């Protein structure tokens, strides 16, 4: 099996805690040959963790080194577009952490770039690979025609939360702060189940001073298939999560990895999707499959939900007006 020579750019939380444990499992597919981070100390720490990759003081040196075929970008969101553009200009494949960019308009740059290059631009949305959401989609027919979807997520971060402590998240340049940063996961899962979203009406609030940007969102929206959705998320308030779908002849509830369909209980294997997204990226590079789950176009639709919600102020915003 051919190994892809991979450079890691940005050696923070995502690289250490989310990507490296999976790349360690996928050593038959990826070899980490280079690292670069904002400080050399972070790069050296990560290099020691993963083996003996070359350490580069600048991103440009890494791209010109000749020791990589692809880069894994785990960097502040505002750098996604320019770092991806530089890699593509050097004929290097890219897997980049979500959201695609700070806003829809700049995100379109990567959508257009992906159409112009034969190199892969993969936006790493791991929730598009989580099995329980595919299972919910699979069992929808058991409740007749789906009519209404309700998802309430109460995350409740405190001041010591490692993500809340990230400097670039304290003063976010991306729209909505945590609402879009974490929320694109939720929209990816919703769209996986029900398809594209037609319009959004929402209000936002800020409850915690230590979280950058607004931290509460209440949204009503409609999918293209006419299912009406209600999505509530708070990064400041902690409570029980609710996920339910109401149909003409029944109801689906999701509790952890347990799906309750009317009176039937279905247990689903737990996965977080990181392994699956890197396997997908690998096969796309090799030409085995098309880039569907990691496409910039899909990632842009996820982000557009939040741009519409933030512009809404209770009015109805058509997502096609942004895309």
């Amino acid at each position: 099996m051919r190994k892809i020579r991979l450079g890691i750019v940005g050696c923070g939380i995502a690289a250490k805690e989310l990507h490296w444990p999976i790349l360690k499992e996928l050593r038959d597919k990826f070899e980490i040959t280079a690292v670069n981070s904002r400080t050399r100390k972070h790069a050296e720490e990560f290099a020691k963790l993963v083996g003996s990759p070359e350490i580069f003081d600048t991103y440009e040196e890494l791209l010109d080194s000749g020791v990589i075929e692809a880069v894994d970008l785990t960097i502040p969101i505002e750098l996604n577009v320019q770092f991806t553009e530089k890699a593509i200009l050097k004929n290097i494949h890219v897997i980049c952490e979500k959201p695609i960019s700070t806003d829809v308009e700049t995100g379109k740059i990567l959508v257009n770039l992906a159409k112009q290059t034969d190199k892969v631009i993969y936006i790493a949305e791991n929730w598009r690979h989580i099995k329980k959401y595919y299972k919910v989609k699979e069992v929808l027919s058991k409740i007749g025609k789906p009519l209404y979807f309700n998802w309430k997520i109460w995350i409740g971060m405190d001041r010591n939360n490692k993500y809340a402590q990230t400097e670039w998240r304290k003063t976010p340049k991306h729209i909505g702060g945590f609402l879009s940063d974490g929320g694109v996961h939720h929209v990816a899962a919703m769209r996986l189940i029900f398809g594209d979203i037609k319009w959004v009406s929402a209000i936002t609030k800020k409850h915690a001073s230590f979280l950058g940007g607004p931290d509460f969102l209440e949204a009503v929206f409609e999918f293209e298939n006419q299912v009406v959705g209600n999505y509530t998320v708070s990064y400041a308030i902690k409570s029980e999560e609710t996920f339910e779908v109401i149909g003409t002849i029944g109801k689906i509830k999701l509790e952890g990895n347990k799906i309750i369909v009317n009176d039937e209980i279905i247990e689903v294997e737990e996965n977080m999707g990181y392994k699956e997204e890197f396997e997908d990226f690998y096969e796309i590079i090799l030409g085995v499959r098309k880039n569907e789950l990691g496409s910039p176009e899909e990632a842009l639709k996820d982000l557009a939900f939040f741009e519409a919600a933030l512009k809404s102020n209770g009015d109805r915003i058509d997502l096609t007006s942004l895309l």
Side-chain angles (χ1 to χ4, degrees):
M1 181 177 288
R2 184 168 89 80
K3 292 185 180 181
I4 301 297
R5 290 173 295 130
L6 183 67
I8 305 295
V9 181
C11 300
I13 298 170
K16 289 178 181 176
E17 300 183 14
L18 306 179
H19 292 201
W20 166 236
I22 297 305
L23 289 168
K24 186 163 50 176
E25 289 184 39
L26 297 176
R27 281 177 165 160
D28 59 331
K29 295 180 173 68
F30 295 97
E31 179 185 4
I32 299 175
T33 54
V35 298
N36 163 251
S37 197
R38 183 177 57 84
T39 66
R40 187 172 180 88
K41 179 184 176 184
H42 287 161
E44 288 174 346
E45 289 172 352
F46 189 80
K48 186 176 180 181
L49 179 68
V50 306
S52 56
E54 292 191 46
I55 300 170
F56 294 91
D57 290 323
T58 71
Y59 181 52
E60 289 74 18
E61 289 172 341
L62 180 143
L63 293 177
D64 287 331
S65 66
V67 302
I68 61 167
E69 301 167 74
V71 288
D72 176 15
L73 302 180
T74 60
I75 54 181
I77 296 164
E78 64 263 26
L79 301 178
N80 282 354
V81 172
Q82 66 182 86
F83 273 51
T84 299
E85 284 183 307
K86 288 181 179 181
I88 296 301
L89 283 172
K90 298 293 183 178
N91 293 313
I92 291 168
H93 303 287
V94 177
I95 181 168
C96 176
E97 264 297 333
K98 56 78 224 162
I100 184 171
S101 187
T102 55
D103 56 85
V104 170
E105 202 57 37
T106 57
K108 289 178 182 178
I109 296 171
L110 294 190
V111 172
N112 293 328
L113 185 59
K115 294 174 181 177
Q116 298 164 8
T117 180
D118 61 352
K119 296 302 174 182
V120 179
I121 299 176
Y122 193 101
I123 308 303
E125 179 44 77
N126 60 298
W127 283 42
R128 237 186 293 279
H129 298 268
I130 294 180
K131 295 176 182 178
K132 63 185 179 182
Y133 299 119
Y134 284 93
K135 192 64 179 180
V136 170
K137 181 178 181 178
E138 181 185 321
V139 300
L140 280 178
S141 60
K142 294 188 177 187
I143 63 169
K145 177 180 171 57
L147 301 174
Y148 174 73
F149 168 67
N150 179 36
W151 200 358
K152 298 187 185 303
I153 305 171
W154 308 95
I155 296 169
M157 291 179 168
D158 61 27
R159 290 180 182 274
N160 297 319
N161 182 280
K162 58 189 173 185
Y163 293 104
Q165 290 288 319
T166 308
E167 287 301 322
W168 59 268
R169 288 187 172 99
K170 291 180 181 178
T171 54
K173 295 181 180 178
H174 54 285
I175 57 168
F178 279 102
L179 293 182
S180 66
D181 186 0
V184 288
H185 287 316
H186 311 144
V187 176
M190 291 190 284
R191 292 182 52 246
L192 187 159
I193 298 167
F194 299 106
D196 286 343
I197 295 166
K198 188 175 181 180
W199 58 263
V200 178
S201 173
I203 59 168
T204 62
K205 298 284 185 182
K206 184 173 180 63
H207 295 299
S209 61
F210 59 88
L211 293 175
D215 52 57
F216 173 87
L217 171 70
E218 174 75 21
V220 176
F221 51 99
E222 184 180 11
F223 294 91
E224 294 284 358
N225 65 2
Q226 298 185 318
V227 172
V228 173
N230 178 239
Y231 165 67
T232 305
V233 63
S234 174
Y235 290 84
I237 304 168
K238 187 74 173 176
S239 189
E240 297 285 326
E241 180 174 337
T242 302
F243 181 112
E244 58 184 4
V245 187
I246 310 298
T248 52
I249 59 170
K251 176 179 179 179
I252 296 171
K253 289 186 70 178
L254 179 60
E255 297 177 354
N257 287 299
K258 181 170 66 176
I259 300 170
I260 305 167
V261 188
N262 299 326
D263 294 326
E264 179 186 5
I265 298 177
I266 302 169
E267 297 282 351
V268 183
E269 177 189 354
E270 182 175 9
N271 78 308
M272 284 306 299
Y274 296 109
K275 183 178 182 180
E276 291 82 359
E277 72 184 3
F278 274 101
E279 289 175 328
D280 193 35
F281 179 55
Y282 177 83
E283 293 190 353
I284 294 164
I285 290 175
L286 266 56
V288 175
R289 63 175 70 184
K290 293 182 179 180
N291 186 6
E292 296 176 345
L293 300 181
S295 78
E297 189 172 1
E298 290 302 309
L300 192 70
K301 290 179 181 179
D302 297 337
L303 182 61
F305 177 94
F306 291 96
E307 189 155 319
L310 289 156
K311 288 182 176 181
S312 168
N313 195 28
D315 293 332
R316 179 165 145 171
I317 304 292
D318 190 329
L319 263 64
T320 58
S321 69
L322 301 177
L323 297 167

